[in-house]
Amino acid sequence: MCRWAAYLGDEVYLEEIVTAPCHSLIAQSHSAQEAKTSTNGDGFGLAWYGERREPGLYRDILPAWSDPNLKSLCRQIRSGLFLAHVRAATDGATSRANCHPFVQGPWSFMHNGQIGEFDRLRRHLESGLSDAGYEALQGTTDSELFFLLMVEAGLDGDPLGATRRAVAAVKDAAAKAGIDPMIRLTAAFSDGERLHAVRYATDDQAPTLYTAPFGGGIGRCLVSEPFDRACADWQAIPPGSFITATRSSMIVQRFDAAPATPDLLPQRLRSV
Amino acid sequence: MCRWAAYLGDEVYLEEIVTAPCHSLIAQSHSAQEAKTSTNGDGFGLAWYGERREPGLYRDILPAWSDPNLKSLCRQIRSGLFLAHVRAATDGATSRANCHPFVQGPWSFMHNGQIGEFDRLRRHLESGLSDAGYEALQGTTDSELFFLLMVEAGLDGDPLGATRRAVAAVKDAAAKAGIDPMIRLTAAFSDGERLHAVRYATDDQAPTLYTAPFGGGIGRCLVSEPFDRACADWQAIPPGSFITATRSSMIVQRFDAAPATPDLLPQRLRSV
Amino acid sequence: MCRWAAYLGDEVYLEEIVTAPCHSLIAQSHSAQEAKTSTNGDGFGLAWYGERREPGLYRDILPAWSDPNLKSLCRQIRSGLFLAHVRAATDGATSRANCHPFVQGPWSFMHNGQIGEFDRLRRHLESGLSDAGYEALQGTTDSELFFLLMVEAGLDGDPLGATRRAVAAVKDAAAKAGIDPMIRLTAAFSDGERLHAVRYATDDQAPTLYTAPFGGGIGRCLVSEPFDRACADWQAIPPGSFITATRSSMIVQRFDAAPATPDLLPQRLRSV
Amino acid sequence: MCRWAAYLGDEVYLEEIVTAPCHSLIAQSHSAQEAKTSTNGDGFGLAWYGERREPGLYRDILPAWSDPNLKSLCRQIRSGLFLAHVRAATDGATSRANCHPFVQGPWSFMHNGQIGEFDRLRRHLESGLSDAGYEALQGTTDSELFFLLMVEAGLDGDPLGATRRAVAAVKDAAAKAGIDPMIRLTAAFSDGERLHAVRYATDDQAPTLYTAPFGGGIGRCLVSEPFDRACADWQAIPPGSFITATRSSMIVQRFDAAPATPDLLPQRLRSV
């Protein structure tokens, strides 16, 4: 289980979320409160959007709490859209290629959760990738592979549908392998314009997801765990939710793993 | 606060202490039970004696739990005398030079504890080193400096006296700086023949120290925290103790910081 | 192009080959003389056999010349059979999983050379692995994949045949992809008993391979580049050679990539 | 000997100097042409100025050529004033604390060169630092210590005088130690407003220094070695020069190590 925080809004220094708050993401790397493991010391990563279409990416395998580069970068870089992650390894060794966020073109993605019995599903899932997707794989985590499945399932034009189809692909693979499918998925991802998040699980253990306004203006955070309980109006997002945030609105749609038939999909749209 | 384990006896694979027990040192790097901080993820180190007079040294800044090299080395290397340490940084950045054990000639040293207000004492203490001692300093921890003070205070011929004189040097420096001296010291050190340990504090917070026979034969462990409560006969060492273990005996002497007048010293000698 | 050195014989300290000679492997990491690139700074690795059946493994991504751990390990560890490697990356990022040697069970393997257009062959070659082989893949180099192909082609019972079949598998994959096959292969590998090496290329650019007696007794080195021209009687091994060294003999067999029909195979056996 | 590049002008992406040119700083990390050692693989660093008074700092011990973070940061970050450095270690281990640039408050500093017999001078020079300067020392290089001497010699108000006084302090220390003073110094430093560089040596081996306009507008580079001979109008700066560049001008003053008597100083001022 990992911890992550994402932000969309007016430009802020990354440190305002990553390092400064009393229960900042870096504090959570040392002592998370709502995760299965309190220590998230198996690397970290940042993806932030600036003037280019693709994000900057900074990942390393040290614990976030001990990296002076991370502190300096977060103090110096301002961004209106970024993802930050601290890792507690479940599948995959401690290596940079296994640190979140993962990036493909303009998309960045980070995750807290797991795919059950991934070792037995991995080869089948990888065989479903296109050659380009297969070559794009750099590490060995379930998260990176799930992200590439989403990309190939049409993330560019239909983020919700692509996420649903990636979940379906995992369930199919499990069925073929004679395994009860188990997915726990609390992920955030962005194309540099919109910020999405999903909270979903096949059981009742969907990892937590919260949101709060941030920074006084139009800013908004999506986090796996509130970083400052005292000062912000955190709202828990229920399981089975898919979020699309822009600079002017946030939409929460119902997310289930039913076969993706977009035009028939009963979507409970809600402005927050 | 850190965690450490030392062993003297018949040759064993390092893994039998470092990685294999249920509450092994590596397990303690993730979730120590008797330390102020449960996570000891700021690097680790091994010093082991083989056929040479000086020990081998392996230190890195990753958390011990995520280093595959450490696991392989501990699985492959056998030694009859070794020190192993996992670090939770108090003074000094996360760098290899700040990881324990420290080595000088045949001596190795590792520590759990701290010198109070070390930032204000450091320069004065360093100025007391010989040129050779000054050049030998590689990092910025209170532990390495204390070790070098011990070396210069005659560690080679008089381990107990040298330790006492190093404690006295710290107290003197504090007095000169107008600081109430505070030292908490639970350290292990060896010259490749004997294994020493000390438990001492100026207050009632001396970090824990335990010992137990290990391995069926003449082997003995000294540890900051038992690594396997169920299976070994752990004995807590009281504060104010200085231990000298050889392959045939273990002596516990009283350790206080009175001016070192060895021939007058009331030593309660005890075989264990 | 990388540099490597392997040793079989009486136990010696690793440093006698890896760090001490004037043109030691570590010196070669900085300024190799017979390689396409003089700098081999993209990581290093050691596999050494001791009392267990499987070797110890130590790999890191720093340049070999700047790692104090490597120096200490080589100074402390004695072994009668080991492989050491410094890397100049061609395929695959700088990561521990991409550092040689690679290990599977009792086998260790390291390589200098390349598979032409590996990016276009990789997926096809990986699809030929068993599930176990596929799961064993940790990195993204052509070398690791070639080693796993050898393992699956019967390395345990028939090292020469398995190597030949792995070469054939690469050629088949190239043919299917419409690529002129290009393989340059100077590799060493061991099961803890015998030390093998192969020098082969589909063109006239087979990377160099040398051997010399070492250490006065029965010891023998196999290297990609002599580490001490003045003091040893280095012999160049011609392209198209397969070497099997034991503690009492060294056999050089002709190695070509003809279809592996072992019982018909014309082998020119030669004692050296 | 190291390689470095500094820029002052309109904001550019760091990659335009650090990674993109054919003989970019990263290319020089692999194969410098005018340095004593062609490989500069012992770490690297960036200091760049943005909206804050103090610079951002990113340093690591990998070779610059193999760090994907460096590539991404240089592609994403724009700055109108930055320093970039690749290191070939002379004094001091390979550690982050020994990587250039060094930063104190608003000042950043990087260096190519050396202080002769620094091991014998270090302690005396360190004893001349104030307590604050002593505490600020993080590593063990001559370069960092020289920078701190400059800071204490009045870098804030009088950059040229402070540099001259720091050189004098080194010469004094050498004289006291009975050593012929040897300094080779090609350094760049900045307070976030001006960019300074100095080229000086006690012998005729002052490391090279070049400058060229860059980027079409008011931009200017100062480098230890031209990164693109074909496309820019590089001008060699003679030994004994001190440069002060602003966004509108560049002044070259004569730099010698005469006792600093600023009001009598014969300064050959020259606009370039």
Side-chain angles (χ1 to χ4, degrees):
Chain A
M1 304 299 268
C2 312
R3 300 283 88 180
W4 56 253
Y7 172 80
L8 175 66
D10 292 328
E11 280 199 356
V12 297
Y13 285 110
L14 270 52
E15 72 170 3
E16 294 179 42
I17 287 166
V18 178
T19 61
C22 56
H23 193 56
S24 72
L25 195 66
I26 284 194
Q28 292 177 29
S29 74
H30 217 300
S31 43
Q33 293 168 348
E34 301 193 24
K36 279 163 75 178
T37 54
S38 68
T39 302
N40 295 275
D42 299 322
F44 63 84
L46 291 175
W48 75 98
Y49 293 89
E51 296 170 59
R52 296 192 190 267
R53 217 180 144 232
E54 81 269 17
L57 185 62
Y58 176 61
R59 306 186 292 181
D60 211 346
I61 59 172
L62 291 173
W65 67 75
S66 68
D67 184 46
N69 286 328
L70 179 62
K71 231 168 278 180
S72 186
L73 290 168
C74 288
R75 187 159 165 73
Q76 206 68 13
I77 296 173
R78 292 165 61 92
S79 171
L81 176 52
F82 61 87
L83 283 66
H85 187 273
V86 293
R87 183 167 180 245
T90 49
D91 283 298
T94 299
S95 70
R96 285 194 183 178
N98 284 347
C99 288
H100 308 222
F102 306 100
V103 167
Q104 282 296 309
W107 285 96
S108 56
F109 172 92
M110 63 185 176
H111 178 220
N112 173 32
Q114 62 183 118
I115 293 175
E117 302 201 51
F118 178 62
D119 283 349
R120 292 177 58 195
L121 305 182
R122 183 181 150 210
R123 186 169 199 176
H124 181 77
L125 289 169
E126 288 184 5
S127 74
L129 292 174
S130 71
D131 281 353
Y134 194 79
E135 273 183 41
L137 265 181
Q138 297 184 330
T140 57
T141 61
D142 50 1
S143 302
E144 184 194 18
L145 179 52
F146 189 84
F147 171 44
L148 288 170
L149 291 171
M150 285 167 67
V151 169
E152 303 223 326
L155 187 57
D156 257 338
D158 177 17
L160 191 154
T163 309
R164 187 176 273 131
R165 285 184 287 276
V167 167
V170 173
K171 290 189 172 177
D172 281 356
K176 273 173 192 141
I179 297 167
D180 264 349
M182 192 278 263
I183 303 174
R184 291 175 189 155
L185 175 69
T186 298
F189 43 103
S190 176
D191 61 355
E193 295 295 323
R194 282 166 205 78
L195 174 62
H196 302 279
V198 60
R199 182 183 183 199
Y200 169 78
T202 50
D203 56 19
D204 59 357
Q205 306 281 321
T208 53
L209 174 63
Y210 294 85
T211 188
F214 185 83
I218 59 166
R220 174 161 293 282
C221 283
L222 287 160
V223 299
S224 51
E225 179 170 325
F227 49 76
D228 204 348
R229 279 186 190 285
C231 315
D233 181 23
W234 295 103
Q235 177 186 350
I237 303 292
S241 300
F242 187 93
I243 289 178
T244 303
T246 66
R247 281 182 166 78
S248 55
S249 71
M250 188 178 88
I251 310 286
V252 182
Q253 292 170 276
R254 187 156 68 83
F255 182 87
D256 54 39
T261 328
D263 43 0
L264 297 179
L265 202 65
Q267 292 182 348
R268 181 171 53 91
L269 294 164
R270 181 162 62 97
S271 299
V272 178
Chain B
M1 305 300 266
C2 312
R3 301 285 87 181
W4 57 252
Y7 171 81
L8 175 67
D10 292 329
E11 281 200 355
V12 297
Y13 285 110
L14 272 51
E15 71 170 5
E16 294 179 43
I17 286 166
V18 179
T19 61
C22 58
H23 193 54
S24 72
L25 196 66
I26 283 195
Q28 292 177 29
S29 74
H30 217 300
S31 43
Q33 291 167 350
E34 300 192 25
K36 278 164 72 180
T37 53
S38 68
T39 303
N40 295 274
D42 299 321
F44 63 83
L46 292 176
W48 73 100
Y49 293 89
E51 296 169 60
R52 295 192 191 268
R53 219 181 142 231
E54 82 269 16
L57 184 62
Y58 176 60
R59 306 186 292 182
D60 210 346
I61 59 173
L62 290 175
W65 67 74
S66 67
D67 185 46
N69 286 329
L70 179 62
K71 229 166 282 180
S72 185
L73 289 168
C74 289
R75 188 161 164 72
Q76 205 70 11
I77 296 174
R78 291 165 62 94
S79 171
L81 177 51
F82 60 87
L83 283 66
H85 187 274
V86 293
R87 183 166 181 246
T90 51
D91 284 298
T94 299
S95 70
R96 285 193 183 178
N98 285 346
C99 288
H100 308 223
F102 306 100
V103 168
Q104 283 295 309
W107 285 97
S108 56
F109 172 92
M110 64 184 174
H111 178 220
N112 173 31
Q114 63 183 118
I115 294 176
E117 302 202 50
F118 177 63
D119 283 348
R120 293 177 58 194
L121 305 182
R122 183 182 151 208
R123 186 169 198 177
H124 180 77
L125 290 169
E126 289 183 4
S127 74
L129 292 173
S130 71
D131 281 355
Y134 195 80
E135 271 184 42
L137 265 180
Q138 296 183 330
T140 57
T141 61
D142 50 2
S143 302
E144 184 194 17
L145 180 51
F146 190 85
F147 171 45
L148 289 170
L149 291 171
M150 287 168 65
V151 169
E152 304 223 326
L155 187 57
D156 256 338
D158 177 16
L160 191 155
T163 309
R164 187 178 273 132
R165 286 185 286 276
V167 168
V170 173
K171 288 187 175 179
D172 282 356
K176 272 172 194 145
I179 296 168
D180 265 351
M182 191 280 262
I183 302 174
R184 293 176 189 153
L185 175 70
T186 297
F189 43 102
S190 177
D191 62 354
E193 293 296 322
R194 282 165 204 78
L195 173 62
H196 302 278
V198 60
R199 183 183 182 197
Y200 170 77
T202 51
D203 58 17
D204 59 355
Q205 306 282 319
T208 52
L209 175 63
Y210 295 85
T211 187
F214 185 83
I218 59 165
R220 174 162 294 282
C221 283
L222 287 161
V223 300
S224 52
E225 179 170 325
F227 50 75
D228 204 347
R229 282 187 188 283
C231 316
D233 180 22
W234 295 103
Q235 175 186 352
I237 304 293
S241 300
F242 186 93
I243 289 179
T244 302
T246 66
R247 281 183 167 77
S248 57
S249 69
M250 187 177 90
I251 310 285
V252 182
Q253 291 169 278
R254 187 158 66 83
F255 182 87
D256 54 39
T261 326
D263 43 359
L264 298 179
L265 202 66
Q267 291 182 348
R268 183 170 53 92
L269 293 163
R270 180 161 63 97
S271 301
V272 177
Chain C
M1 305 299 267
C2 312
R3 300 284 87 181
W4 56 253
Y7 172 80
L8 174 66
D10 291 329
E11 280 201 356
V12 297
Y13 285 110
L14 272 49
E15 71 170 4
E16 294 180 42
I17 286 165
V18 179
T19 61
C22 57
H23 193 56
S24 72
L25 195 67
I26 283 195
Q28 293 177 27
S29 74
H30 219 300
S31 42
Q33 292 167 349
E34 301 192 26
K36 278 164 73 179
T37 54
S38 68
T39 304
N40 295 275
D42 299 322
F44 63 84
L46 292 175
W48 74 99
Y49 293 88
E51 297 171 59
R52 293 192 191 269
R53 215 177 146 236
E54 80 269 17
L57 184 62
Y58 176 60
R59 304 186 293 181
D60 210 345
I61 59 172
L62 291 174
W65 67 76
S66 67
D67 185 47
N69 286 328
L70 178 62
K71 230 167 281 180
S72 186
L73 290 167
C74 288
R75 186 158 166 74
Q76 206 68 15
I77 296 173
R78 291 166 62 92
S79 171
L81 177 51
F82 60 87
L83 283 66
H85 188 274
V86 293
R87 183 168 181 244
T90 49
D91 283 299
T94 299
S95 70
R96 285 193 183 179
N98 285 346
C99 288
H100 308 221
F102 305 99
V103 168
Q104 282 297 308
W107 285 96
S108 56
F109 172 92
M110 63 184 175
H111 178 220
N112 172 33
Q114 64 183 116
I115 294 176
E117 302 201 51
F118 177 62
D119 283 350
R120 293 176 58 194
L121 305 183
R122 183 181 152 209
R123 187 168 199 177
H124 180 77
L125 289 169
E126 289 184 6
S127 74
L129 292 172
S130 71
D131 281 354
Y134 195 79
E135 272 184 40
L137 264 180
Q138 296 182 333
T140 57
T141 61
D142 50 2
S143 302
E144 184 193 17
L145 180 51
F146 189 84
F147 171 44
L148 289 170
L149 291 171
M150 285 167 66
V151 170
E152 304 222 326
L155 187 57
D156 256 338
D158 177 17
L160 192 155
T163 309
R164 187 176 272 132
R165 287 186 285 276
V167 168
V170 174
K171 290 189 173 177
D172 281 356
K176 271 172 194 143
I179 296 169
D180 264 349
M182 193 277 264
I183 303 174
R184 292 176 190 154
L185 174 69
T186 297
F189 44 101
S190 177
D191 61 354
E193 294 295 324
R194 283 165 205 77
L195 174 62
H196 301 280
V198 61
R199 183 182 182 200
Y200 170 78
T202 50
D203 55 20
D204 59 356
Q205 307 281 320
T208 53
L209 175 62
Y210 294 85
T211 187
F214 185 83
I218 58 166
R220 173 162 293 282
C221 283
L222 287 160
V223 300
S224 51
E225 179 171 323
F227 49 75
D228 205 347
R229 281 188 189 283
C231 316
D233 180 22
W234 295 104
Q235 176 186 353
I237 303 292
S241 301
F242 187 93
I243 289 179
T244 302
T246 67
R247 281 183 167 76
S248 56
S249 69
M250 188 178 89
I251 310 285
V252 183
Q253 292 170 276
R254 188 156 67 82
F255 182 86
D256 53 40
T261 328
D263 43 0
L264 296 180
L265 203 65
Q267 291 182 347
R268 182 170 53 93
L269 293 165
R270 181 160 63 97
S271 297
V272 177
Chain D
M1 305 299 266
C2 312
R3 302 283 87 182
W4 56 253
Y7 172 81
L8 176 66
D10 292 328
E11 281 199 353
V12 298
Y13 285 110
L14 272 51
E15 70 169 5
E16 294 179 41
I17 286 166
V18 178
T19 60
C22 56
H23 193 55
S24 72
L25 195 67
I26 285 195
Q28 293 177 28
S29 74
H30 217 299
S31 42
Q33 291 167 349
E34 301 192 24
K36 277 163 72 180
T37 53
S38 67
T39 302
N40 295 274
D42 299 322
F44 63 84
L46 291 175
W48 74 99
Y49 293 89
E51 296 169 59
R52 294 190 190 269
R53 216 178 145 234
E54 81 269 15
L57 184 63
Y58 176 61
R59 304 187 293 182
D60 210 345
I61 59 173
L62 291 174
W65 68 74
S66 68
D67 184 46
N69 286 329
L70 179 62
K71 230 167 281 181
S72 186
L73 289 168
C74 288
R75 186 159 166 73
Q76 205 70 13
I77 296 174
R78 290 165 62 93
S79 171
L81 177 51
F82 60 87
L83 283 67
H85 188 274
V86 293
R87 182 168 181 246
T90 50
D91 284 297
T94 299
S95 70
R96 284 193 185 180
N98 284 346
C99 289
H100 307 223
F102 305 100
V103 167
Q104 282 296 310
W107 286 96
S108 56
F109 171 93
M110 64 184 174
H111 178 220
N112 173 32
Q114 63 183 120
I115 293 176
E117 302 201 51
F118 177 63
D119 283 350
R120 294 177 57 196
L121 305 182
R122 184 181 150 209
R123 188 170 198 176
H124 181 76
L125 289 169
E126 288 183 6
S127 74
L129 291 173
S130 71
D131 282 354
Y134 195 79
E135 272 184 40
L137 265 180
Q138 297 184 329
T140 56
T141 61
D142 51 2
S143 302
E144 183 193 18
L145 180 51
F146 189 84
F147 171 45
L148 289 169
L149 291 172
M150 287 168 64
V151 169
E152 303 222 327
L155 188 57
D156 256 337
D158 178 16
L160 191 154
T163 309
R164 187 177 274 134
R165 286 186 285 276
V167 168
V170 173
K171 289 189 173 177
D172 281 356
K176 272 173 193 142
I179 296 168
D180 265 350
M182 192 277 264
I183 303 174
R184 292 177 189 152
L185 176 68
T186 296
F189 44 103
S190 176
D191 62 355
E193 294 296 323
R194 283 165 204 76
L195 174 62
H196 301 280
V198 60
R199 183 183 182 198
Y200 169 79
T202 50
D203 57 17
D204 59 355
Q205 307 281 319
T208 52
L209 175 62
Y210 294 85
T211 187
F214 185 83
I218 58 166
R220 172 162 295 283
C221 282
L222 287 161
V223 299
S224 52
E225 178 171 325
F227 49 75
D228 205 348
R229 281 186 190 285
C231 315
D233 180 21
W234 295 102
Q235 176 186 352
I237 303 292
S241 300
F242 187 93
I243 289 178
T244 303
T246 66
R247 281 184 167 76
S248 56
S249 70
M250 188 178 90
I251 310 286
V252 183
Q253 291 170 278
R254 187 156 68 82
F255 183 86
D256 54 39
T261 329
D263 43 0
L264 296 179
L265 202 66
Q267 289 182 349
R268 183 170 53 92
L269 294 164
R270 180 160 64 98
S271 300
V272 178

